[in-house]
């Protein structure tokens, strides 16, 4: 992975849009891998995450999960710490 933050998503998924909005609000760069009509990328996402739903988000090597998981990290005050770890790596 070239980016420290990776998100597998689809274009019109509302949870993907919310995840993008949250990550954008943190002013971090991330690789947004679209799996729309790309079954090989969706398969890759499922194999890596064990989940079939989008978005699936990684911060560094840490699999965060979906948007709800990302939002939970933000609510607990843990997201910024995770983001700092990958920024300094």
């Amino acid at each position: 992975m070239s980016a420290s933050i990776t998100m597998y998503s689809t274009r019109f998924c509302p949870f993907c849009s919310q995840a993008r909005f949250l990550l954008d609000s943190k002013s971090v760069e991330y690789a947004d891998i679209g799996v729309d009509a790309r079954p090989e990328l969706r398969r890759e996402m499922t194999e890596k995450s064990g989940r079939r739903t989008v978005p699936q988000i990684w911060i560094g090597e840490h699999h965060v999960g979906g948007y709800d998981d990302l939002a939970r990290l933000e609510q607990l005050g843990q997201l910024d710490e995770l983001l700092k770890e990958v920024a300094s790596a």
Side-chain angles (χ1 to χ4, degrees):
M1 289 181 211
S2 59
S4 296
I5 303 167
T6 304
M7 176 171 69
Y8 288 83
S9 67
T10 59
R11 232 168 119 191
F12 298 108
C13 159
F15 293 105
C16 299
S17 296
Q18 290 177 303
R20 283 186 203 97
F21 181 80
L22 179 53
L23 291 172
D24 289 344
S25 78
K26 299 293 183 179
S27 299
V28 294
E29 291 185 28
Y30 56 94
D32 190 352
I33 301 171
V35 298
D36 309 84
R38 302 286 305 271
E40 71 282 2
L41 291 176
R42 188 175 283 269
R43 193 170 27 259
E44 175 183 286
M45 175 197 78
T46 303
E47 288 171 4
K48 287 181 177 181
S49 68
R51 298 182 182 181
R52 297 173 42 93
T53 58
V54 290
Q56 290 301 317
I57 305 159
W58 281 261
I59 298 176
E61 297 299 314
H62 176 77
H63 177 232
V64 172
Y67 170 70
D68 290 342
D69 304 302
L70 185 68
R72 190 173 309 111
L73 286 174
E74 174 69 356
Q75 288 174 336
L76 294 171
Q78 298 172 351
L79 181 57
D80 289 338
E81 195 58 41
L82 260 179
L83 295 173
K84 281 181 200 167
E85 287 176 21
V86 296
S88 64

